[in-house]
Amino acid sequence: DVSICEGDTTQLQGQSNGGYAWSIAAGLSDTTIASPLAFPNVTTSYVLTGQNANCSVADTVVVTVFPTPTVSINAIGPLLTATNGVTFQWLLNGSPISGATSQSYTALVSGNYAVSITDVNGCSAVSASIFIDVASAIGESFYLHFEVGPNPASESLHVALDAQENSAVQIEIADLQGKVIAT
């Protein structure tokens, strides 16, 4: 048995010392060969019957089809969050953004943003793109000043933050490998 994502193809593997006859022809490239390509739209059981003279034997293989995942982007100002997925890759104007592999991403420049996700079944999808105008998303009057030190730090770190009143700010502190150690 094998699992595939909707729209994918897999090659079935049959063996016989006689002829081959696959039943359920829908979604098969050829019903008379040992290893046809299978591209079903829904989960399908294929039966291979091998025949040699007056003897025949049959076996079944189930091709489970997982649906294409759905994904969209929620945007709050420049903060973009993918609605689904296990792994993520953010895109800017169709190109991957280096290191942008979390469920959320903060837009730094204006452009068309999308996210490519993979779900628990290993199936992938890309969201529709949305245009983010960073100046409008952040607000031209937004003010944020912060200081962090010492850098590098080993035991303690001083963080000073000065922002506009009523501003929501989230800071992540990462080690040299990019692992978030404090939020």
Side-chain angles (χ1 to χ4, degrees):
D1 295 343
V2 66
S3 298
I4 62 173
C5 298
E6 185 177 9
D8 286 350
T9 299
T10 188
Q11 188 164 24
L12 303 181
Q13 302 292 322
Q15 291 183 333
S16 171
N17 60 357
Y20 299 93
W22 289 92
S23 58
I24 309 284
L28 286 181
S29 61
D30 190 331
T31 60
T32 62
I33 62 174
S35 301
L37 295 176
F39 42 90
N41 294 324
V42 296
T43 297
T44 304
S45 296
Y46 293 102
V47 178
L48 172 61
T49 303
Q51 180 120 13
N52 190 359
N54 292 332
C55 297
S56 67
V57 66
D59 196 7
T60 302
V61 60
V62 177
V63 178
T64 301
V65 179
F66 293 117
T68 301
T70 58
V71 61
S72 61
I73 299 172
N74 291 329
I76 300 174
L79 178 63
L80 310 174
T81 303
T83 56
N84 285 320
V86 174
T87 64
F88 308 89
Q89 176 60 64
W90 288 92
L91 311 168
L92 173 59
N93 299 325
S95 297
I97 302 169
S98 179
T101 56
S102 296
Q103 186 172 6
S104 294
Y105 178 75
T106 300
L108 302 175
V109 298
S110 297
N112 289 305
Y113 286 86
V115 64
S116 173
I117 62 108
T118 303
D119 70 7
V120 295
N121 299 315
C123 299
S124 302
V126 177
S127 71
S129 66
I130 62 170
F131 181 78
I132 299 295
D133 179 355
V134 174
S136 295
I138 293 176
E140 293 179 16
S141 63
F142 184 81
Y143 167 79
L144 173 67
H145 174 79
F146 67 95
E147 295 176 13
V148 178
N151 188 11
S154 59
E155 293 183 22
S156 65
L157 186 65
H158 174 77
V159 178
L161 176 66
D162 181 19
Q164 289 176 323
E165 197 172 320
N166 298 323
S167 297
V169 177
Q170 178 175 327
I171 297 174
E172 291 183 346
I173 300 172
D175 64 14
L176 291 174
Q177 288 75 37
K179 179 182 174 192
V180 175
I181 56 174
T183 301

